[in-house]
Amino acid sequence: MFTNFFLELKNAKVPVSIKEYLALLEAMDAHLADYSVDDFYYLSRSIMVKDERNIDKFDRVFGHVFKGLEKAADAATAEIPEEWLRKLAEKLLTEEEKKQIEALGGWEKLMETLKKRLEEQQKRHQGGSKWIGTAGTSPFGAFGFNPEGVRIGQDKHREGRAVKVWDKREYKNLDDSVELGTRNIKMALRRLRKFTREGLETELDLDDTIRSTARNAGWLDIKMIPERKNKIKVLVLFDIGGSMDAHIRVCEELFSAARTEFKHLEFFYFHNCLYEKLWKDNRRRHTDTTPTSQMLHTYPSDYKVIFVGDGSMSPYEIVYPGGSVEHWNEEAGQVWMQRVTDMYSSCVWLNPVPERHWQYTPSIQLLKQLMSDRMYPLTLGGIESAMKELRR
Amino acid sequence: MKFTGTDNYVASDDLRIAVNAAIALQRPLLIKGEPGTGKTVLAHEVSKALGAPLIEWHIKSTTKAQQGLYEYDAVTRLRDSQLGDERVKDIRNYIKRGKLWEAFTGTGSRPVLLIDEIDKADIEFPNDLLQELDRMEFFVYELQETIKAQHRPIVMITSNNEKELPDAFLRRCFFHYIRFPDRETMQEIINVHYPDIQRNLVREAMTVFYDIRDVPGLKKKPSTSELLDWLKLLMVEDIPPDALRSKDSAKLIPPLHGALLKNEQDVHLFERLAFMARREKT
């Protein structure tokens, strides 16, 4: 019945699935939103949206799909004779009346007749006016005017406010944040874990305890071991600036995921190709630099090296001394690349350029060769295979 | 069972509906929001309002999903066997019930189970609880029996957004984001907490409070709970409302600002801005 609404949400990239849709129907079936647009909005929001970043998108879709709904409510009150409505309301409200109703044949019966009367009302509307939503998809066309529907008239002022709630779009600045999607990357990076035991002995070593107890002729001898910790050490080298600007978002995601995933993480920046200098802070790239040879001496060969860069440049920048676009380099980029790959046996290159385009860029081909084919696209699958390679 | 807010908790319409939907459809309710907007308190209030027992499970970075179900204390059993204790014959004596087990088998009405700060745990933690929260049952390997919930507990989960939660987990939850209250709601909240506070003190304090929240670049914006603390301090210290209004001279930093600004850098930033504002005036 809300298929249209559901599909629109899906189109707007709000992650919803059949499960949420069914939950919404279940909730409507349980009369959780008592025929007030306001309540229905809150209810569907809490069921369909699972992240505050998506609330703004949801508000927009809701406003769009249920446009004119508040008009419907108004019209309904206009068309039901006011006197009749007031009488009903009185019957619904006072205790005295309730007792009278009991005497007259019970609540159920009253509700039934009420329902019947209101069904007539509904039919009349469908026949004439078009305000019950488009093409019969409006939820209120289906059951909007059964017993509790009467309350629509009473809650008129609330209705007006509800519309404003989603039109206000208060969740606008929660939309889009860098963190989006890092979970997936973190999961992929998880493959690169090597647990070792180090530090305080806090865990019971069951096997060793049993062994020593047996050796102790049954006298309990408890053995403890340190907790397992991830001991992987990672060195990430980012290409920055120029053609990399287009890929900045995905790099940020990768960086923020890697930062939380690895305890021993070092990173440096370079431009286009690796030369004799690296830097840590891009704003001070001309003053605060680290010689690449120093990096090679500082970090032992058990570090895993990850290059991140698009590798798109003129081949001269890799092959010839002095080829760099920024400065005069005494030694060619490929010499430095060679030194790094010689030093660190596990290293990979992650490339944000889609894999199918690699063959058209000679510099990518060159780098891929220099990395002995260990170049992977910067996608989830690519990261996973890269991590597999690094684990070896 | 319907939750309508309590004497000392102001529940907005949307929050009320989300809570009631979660109760009626028996789904866990995931609550997010700025720190200090009353996420954890909500569970306490729901349990109070419904007269249901509250079971709290506070999550830390070392918490494992299994700990919520049960733990088998092998070491104690081993020791008891050394001492020839009679208890050792029944493995049941060494199974420690976790919070989920407690919630499943609790007597009486549906309990409220609060899983507090789920984002603190390991990234796999929510996935390990999928089945348990969905079917409300789990299998105890040591006893070879399945523990089934007698009453499906009302599960409330809070998160501070430190880690992203897996989709499969989110699918099973209802979600509510507690927005920072506007001035009107804030006034209501204050009335509920300090019914006999001076009206003009509140007015002045709220102005200062929302001004501070609007300062760009604060590391930690003060939240509802901080405002309430601050008001309490102001009342205890008997600070007159005028002291908050004085926008001149050296009194640009509000009195007892330590309750509002929890971060050195924020205090510095605020002082600097206040100093600049003063210079502009003279």
Side-chain angles (χ1 to χ4, degrees), chain A residues 11-27:
Chain A
N11 282 344
K13 296 266 154 43
V14 179
V16 284
S17 69
I18 303 289
K19 202 167 169 118
E20 274 100 9
Y21 182 50
L22 291 177
L24 179 65
L25 294 185
E26 198 185 333

Side-chain angles (χ1 to χ4, degrees), chain B residues 64-83:
Chain B
K64 301 266 179 309
Q66 181 67 28
Q67 291 169 346
L69 310 179
Y70 69 92
E71 280 177 288
Y72 172 42
D73 191 354
V75 178
T76 311
R77 192 171 190 216
L78 200 57
R79 197 193 55 212
D80 282 358
S81 78
Q82 298 280 306
L83 302 171

Side-chain angles (χ1 to χ4, degrees), chain A residues 348-366:
Chain A
V348 289
W349 186 296
L350 291 174
N351 197 333
V353 176
E355 198 171 0
R356 58 180 188 281
H357 297 161
W358 290 359
Q359 49 178 315
Y360 307 116
T361 316
S363 61
I364 294 183
Q365 293 295 329
L366 259 170

Side-chain angles (χ1 to χ4, degrees), chain A residues 254-272:
Chain A
L254 175 74
F255 185 58
S256 101
R259 261 282 259 272
T260 50
E261 204 50 46
F262 302 118
K263 241 184 196 142
H264 306 274
L265 173 80
E266 295 294 336
F267 64 93
F268 288 102
Y269 294 117
F270 63 92
H271 185 62
N272 276 359

Side-chain angles (χ1 to χ4, degrees), chain B:
Chain B
M1 286 231 254
K2 265 220 146 130
F3 174 68
T4 49
T6 57
D7 295 346
N8 41 16
Y9 191 84
V10 179
S12 55
D13 279 353
D14 47 347
L15 178 61
R16 224 167 18 77
I17 286 171
V19 170
N20 284 327
I23 294 174
L25 297 190
Q26 312 190 327
R27 306 279 158 95
L29 178 65
L30 172 67
I31 303 160
K32 281 202 214 168
E34 266 183 55
T37 39
K39 297 190 289 291
T40 309
V41 184
L42 175 69
H44 289 258
E45 296 301 327
V46 169
S47 101
K48 216 189 284 171
L50 301 178
L54 175 70
I55 295 166
E56 291 176 84
W57 186 15
H58 299 284
I59 307 298
K60 296 181 200 151
S61 64
T62 50
T63 308
K64 301 266 179 309
Q66 181 67 28
Q67 291 169 346
L69 310 179
Y70 69 92
E71 280 177 288
Y72 172 42
D73 191 354
V75 178
T76 311
R77 192 171 190 216
L78 200 57
R79 197 193 55 212
D80 282 358
S81 78
Q82 298 280 306
L83 302 171
D85 198 312
E86 269 308 299
R87 278 157 42 92
V88 81
K89 296 206 171 101
D90 191 0
I91 195 167
R92 226 166 262 279
N93 291 324
Y94 302 95
I95 301 279
K96 276 197 201 146
R97 294 175 177 207
K99 299 285 181 191
L100 237 64
W101 191 330
E102 254 177 63
F104 284 3
T105 55
T107 48
S109 57
R110 283 171 71 186
V112 176
L113 172 65
L114 167 68
I115 304 182
D116 205 11
E117 314 207 14
I118 196 167
D119 53 325
K120 298 282 175 298
D122 189 77
I123 198 162
E124 288 287 6
F125 179 87
N127 279 334
D128 295 344
L129 283 179
L130 285 183
Q131 191 71 0
E132 283 74 13
L133 288 179
D134 210 23
R135 309 261 299 270
M136 294 288 178
E137 62 177 46
F138 61 89
F139 184 70
V140 184
Y141 175 76
E142 281 80 3
L143 303 177
Q144 293 290 313
E145 64 181 62
T146 306
I147 303 296
K148 235 181 154 131
Q150 286 155 358
H151 318 273
R152 285 177 77 102
I154 300 161
V155 184
M156 305 232 157
I157 302 165
T158 71
S159 163
N160 272 326
N161 241 353
E162 278 185 21
K163 289 193 189 81
E164 219 151 290
L165 299 169
D167 282 346
F169 181 77
L170 292 176
R171 293 252 169 282
R172 288 165 168 80
C173 297
F174 286 175
F175 170 73
H176 183 74
Y177 183 82
I178 299 189
R179 208 161 37 84
F180 195 79
D182 52 16
R183 265 189 105 107
E184 274 169 53
T185 322
M186 192 56 99
Q187 183 82 48
E188 255 180 83
I189 294 172
I190 292 171
N191 288 345
V192 153
H193 282 264
Y194 307 117
D196 41 36
I197 195 170
Q198 289 176 54
R199 290 212 149 265
N200 43 355
L201 178 66
V202 174
R203 202 168 45 242
E204 299 303 335
M206 293 246 284
T207 313
V208 174
F209 173 73
Y210 278 97
D211 278 354
I212 292 184
R213 268 186 70 86
D214 282 342
V215 170
L218 279 189
K219 286 211 164 179
K220 160 88 179 73
K221 286 186 181 174
S223 65
T224 317
S225 63
E226 270 126 19
L227 173 65
L228 293 176
D229 286 348
W230 187 50
L231 281 174
K232 198 172 183 180
L233 277 176
L234 291 177
M235 281 200 305
V236 171
E237 299 275 318
D238 225 1
I239 299 222
D242 322 346
L244 299 176
R245 207 182 306 137
S246 60
K247 294 245 170 188
D248 52 279
S249 73
K251 282 195 173 165
L252 272 165
I253 300 277
L256 307 164
H257 61 267
L260 290 176
L261 299 167
K262 299 286 175 70
N263 189 309
E264 244 173 85
Q265 283 115 304
D266 284 355
V267 177
H268 281 316
L269 176 74
F270 195 77
E271 275 173 350
R272 225 172 38 233
L273 288 173
F275 178 71
M276 273 158 62
R278 188 168 48 189
R279 227 179 20 188
E280 268 167 35
K281 256 179 212 154
T282 51

Side-chain angles (χ1 to χ4, degrees), chain A residues 237-255:
Chain A
L237 304 173
F238 282 100
D239 178 2
I240 196 149
S243 53
M244 278 301 283
D245 284 351
H247 310 292
I248 207 140
R249 204 184 117 97
V250 69
C251 289
E252 270 173 358
E253 283 185 1
L254 175 74
F255 185 58

